Structure formats: structure tokens, C-alpha cells
Amino acid sequence: MATGDVKLLGAGASPYVNRVQIALNIKSENYEFLEEKLGSKSELLLKSNPIHKKIPVLIHDDKPICESLVIVQYIDDVWTSGPSILPSDPYDRAIARFWAAYVDDKWFPLMKELRMAEGEEAKAAAIEKIVEVLVVLEEAFVKCSKGKAFFGGDSIGFLDIAFGSFLGWLKVTEKMGEMRLLSEAKTPNLVEWAERFCCDDAVKDVLPKTEKLIEIFKIMQARAKAPPSN
Amino acid sequence: MATGDVKLLGAGASPYVNRVQIALNIKSENYEFLEEKLGSKSELLLKSNPIHKKIPVLIHDDKPICESLVIVQYIDDVWTSGPSILPSDPYDRAIARFWAAYVDDKWFPLMKELRMAEGEEAKAAAIEKIVEVLVVLEEAFVKCSKGKAFFGGDSIGFLDIAFGSFLGWLKVTEKMGEMRLLSEAKTPNLVEWAERFCCDDAVKDVLPKTEKLIEIFKIMQARAKAPPSN
């Protein structure tokens, strides 16, 4: 059931926007991508998400839906003829939601902590915490995937999307810090999962290249350091 | 469809636990309440929720489910013969999830800010922010309820549970601070909604009395101020 007019307000470098793009790809749904420029907010964005004023916003038949994981669940609810994103079993669905919330609660604050860390000691402490979280997610992968390719089983599901959307920025962090966060030693299953995820048809044209993200990161950093203008 | 053995690990004073109790009441589901003592964590809790080590945990046929809003959705998914908790329309469901996330992201941090505020100025600033959030939720109520009694329509739904669970502690804050947070002037619809919510059959024996919560609050405050013991 492909239905109505679908627009996505976003920016290609945002993992939260990437989640929605991947979900729409899984459902083979065409949509119009309305790019928000870095550092500015369009009238349409302010009107569509007056509470948070943030991307992504999905606009389906003129009705806006905000918050990436809410949007992914909405897509799964509406485009029912495509492959399911949430597991069909209620318990598996609860577990996927639990871990997706864990990713959202843990990941972004830790990445921010690492970015803001000053001095080698603070950096090492932040990296240690990130690796701890990855080890927890490695264990979650073993339990959720039950020996299959993805958290969601044979194909990409809710938790794959929630966590996998951060892989682009994880690679940036690894490259710029000349270190490994995912590793054969501590997270062997996640290393293989990340490769499979990034090569998947629904994902490969969505996640930005590392070099592109590094460029964007440098622009963001320069802006953060620049004196405020009128 | 009432199924299997249902246990709830919790404490009556926790709004997050209250959410689960209300959801189970809506579904007329009997359950065993396993009380966690204030300030300690049982072996069963540590085993059932090793990641966050927090209540509530629903244990259904020996399988633990954690995180209050994840549990409420699980209950709605499993006990399908009772009244629905999530709206049936995908868009309404997305909107309910959006606002429930807003409540969780905003409410607890603001309540904490007010509790920690030192001096009249800081207190007034925290109260102003809380009232701002309540005014936003008043507007959300008008849109979601579409003139009916609850956010969820004619009966209590997902967002009613998510927000309503905090009404006990909101009353404590009002009483101890000798002030009104919900008011006829700024949030007239929420004032009436709160009364209806607290009197509802699924809620009235769940939300603790204000005096009881004040007692618990004083114990928690005394413990926070006491020097750490071995």
C-alpha cells in the first residue's frame, strides 16, 4: 500500500534523518527530499516541528510527523505491504524498543563527551565508555539476532536502523582519532554486522561517505569556534 | 486474552511503575506486585534489568520487560482483548508517542531543576519553565482529545498514562511549594483532565495520596543529606 504524498525534511549528514531514509527504502517508498541547510531552519521546518524545530520531519499528505524513531514506527504502521521493520512478536518488539532507547540515551551523549574532551586522559576515559557501550550492544546483538545477519533477523529491522544510522559518524570518530572503536577483539559480531548493514540495498546510498562527513564536521567545528555574528 | 504469569517489580511511589499498574488495570489483568524497598535493589531486579537496574520491570512468563513506556506498549500488544491503549490510527499513534517522549524528556529534568534550585530567583525560573511546558501540553490536549475527556479520546490512552502518572508528584510540588502549577488561568483543560484522570477506575487506587508521597519525599531528602555509610 503506497499512499499519498511523502516529503522528508532533512539533511543527508544527520543519522536521525538517515533512519527515516532507510525505513522508506525498506518499504520501497518514493519521497521528495527537502534539504535543510546546515545552520539554518526553513519556514516549513519551523511550521512542521514547532516544538523541537529539528529534523527529520516526515510530511505525509500534509501531516507532519517528528522524532526519528516515532517516524520509523509510523512508516512501519502505514506501509504494511513492505517488509516489516518492527518484529512481529510482542516480546521481540519490546526488546527492540528497549535497545533502540538505549542507543539514543547513550550514544549521542558519549559522542559529545568525546568531542568535548580536553587532554589525553579525558579522551581516553570517553573512549573507554564508548567501548563499554559497544560491548553491551555486542551482547545484545548475539541475543537479538539469534545467529542471523541482523539485530532484526534475516533482514534489517528497527534496532539495526536505530544503531546502524550512527555508523557513518562512528567511522569519522575512528578516522579522525586514529583509533578503532569497533574491533575484532571486543566486538567481533558488530564488526561483521556493520559491514553487512552498510552494504545493504536500503542503506548503501543513504549513509554518507566518511570523507564527506569529515568535511561537514570541520565546517561545524569552525562555526562553533567563530565569534557570534548578528 | 489473559495470558500466563504476570509479576511487576516496582514501588508504589514511582510514577514509572504507576504507568504499568494503570495499563494492567485497563486490561483487567491480575498481577503479583513485588515491592522493591526504597534505597535497595533486589537480586531479582538486578537479574531482570542488568542494564539500567531500575524499576519498573514486568516479568511475563519469566521474561523480563523494562522501561515503562516500552512495557505499556507491550501490554497493549499482548492483551489485545481489553480496551486499546495506543490509538488505532497510525497518525494518532505517532502523535501520542511524540508527546509521551516530550513528557519524558522534559518533565523529570524540570522537576529535578526545581528540587535543586537554590534561592528564590532560581526557584521562580524553574517554575516558569514548568508552567511553559504545561501550557504546551494544554495545547496538545486540545488537539489530541478533539473535545473528548482524555488525550486518548473517550477513555484513558497512552499519553494520558505517560503524563498522568506524574500528577501525584505534581501535587506534592504544589503543596510543598504553596503554589499552583496547573491553573484555571493558564491550563484550564488540564485542570479538568487531571481530575477526571485521578478518579478513573484504572487509576484511583494506583496513584499514591499526596501525604504519603510527602512522607516518602522527606525520607529521600534526609537520606540524600546524610553522610554516606558503609
Side-chain angles (χ1 to χ4, degrees), chain B residues 59-121:
Chain B
I59 304 180
H60 184 205
D61 286 338
D62 297 324
K63 290 192 284 188
I65 303 114
C66 309
E67 297 286 271
S68 64
L69 292 183
V70 172
I71 300 172
V72 171
Q73 290 179 84
Y74 174 81
I75 290 168
D76 203 32
D77 281 346
V78 169
W79 285 275
T80 48
S81 64
S84 287
I85 294 173
L86 269 295
S88 57
D89 176 75
Y91 186 74
D92 291 341
R93 199 148 61 234
I95 297 300
R97 286 191 176 119
F98 171 87
W99 285 112
Y102 177 83
V103 166
D104 269 5
D105 292 346
K106 292 283 175 187
W107 199 257
F108 193 75
L110 282 179
M111 281 288 156
K112 199 173 167 189
E113 189 177 325
L114 177 58
R115 210 171 56 238
M116 310 293 279
E118 288 186 15
E120 287 313 304
E121 208 172 317

Side-chain angles (χ1 to χ4, degrees), chain A residues 27-74:
Chain A
K27 300 290 187 177
S28 305
E29 180 61 30
N30 291 324
Y31 60 96
E32 188 183 349
F33 190 75
L34 303 173
E35 182 97 19
E36 285 288 314
K37 281 186 194 144
L38 194 64
S40 72
K41 295 177 195 289
S42 71
E43 279 300 311
L44 185 59
L45 173 60
L46 297 174
K47 191 184 119 198
S48 307
N49 188 0
I51 300 298
H52 300 303
K53 304 176 180 67
K54 279 183 184 169
I55 52 171
V57 181
L58 185 78
I59 304 180
H60 184 205
D61 286 337
D62 296 324
K63 291 193 285 190
I65 303 114
C66 309
E67 297 285 271
S68 64
L69 292 183
V70 172
I71 300 173
V72 171
Q73 290 179 84
Y74 173 81

Side-chain angles (χ1 to χ4, degrees), chain A residues 107 111 130 134 163 166-175 179 181-182 213:
Chain A
W107 198 256
M111 281 289 157
I130 290 173
L134 289 173
F163 180 35
F166 287 113
L167 288 173
W169 284 103
L170 187 138
K171 285 180 192 166
V172 170
T173 310
E174 288 186 328
K175 192 151 189 175
M179 62 184 158
L181 295 170
L182 285 177
L213 287 180

Side-chain angles (χ1 to χ4, degrees), chain A residues 109-180:
Chain A
L110 281 180
M111 281 289 157
K112 198 173 168 189
E113 188 177 325
L114 178 58
R115 209 169 58 237
M116 309 294 280
E118 287 186 14
E120 287 313 304
E121 207 172 316
K123 265 185 199 159
I127 290 168
E128 199 180 316
K129 281 187 211 166
I130 290 173
V131 172
E132 270 171 29
V133 165
L134 289 173
V135 168
V136 170
L137 287 168
E138 167 86 7
E139 287 166 21
F141 180 83
V142 172
K143 281 187 201 160
C144 292
S145 65
K146 298 166 189 161
K148 294 184 174 174
F150 296 102
F151 283 96
D154 288 322
S155 57
I156 286 178
F158 189 63
L159 180 51
D160 295 283
I161 296 173
F163 180 35
S165 59
F166 287 113
L167 288 173
W169 284 103
L170 187 138
K171 285 180 192 166
V172 170
T173 310
E174 288 186 328
K175 192 151 189 175
M176 293 189 74
E178 294 175 0
M179 62 184 158
R180 296 297 305 271

Side-chain angles (χ1 to χ4, degrees), chain B residues 1-9 20-34 58-61 74-75 78-79 81-82:
Chain B
M1 182 178 73
T3 50
D5 178 51
V6 183
K7 293 186 179 80
L8 174 59
L9 277 176
V20 180
Q21 293 174 292
I22 295 166
L24 288 167
N25 284 351
I26 287 174
K27 300 290 186 176
S28 304
E29 181 60 30
N30 291 322
Y31 59 96
E32 188 182 350
F33 190 74
L34 302 173
L58 185 78
I59 304 180
H60 184 205
D61 286 338
Y74 174 81
I75 290 168
V78 169
W79 285 275
S81 64

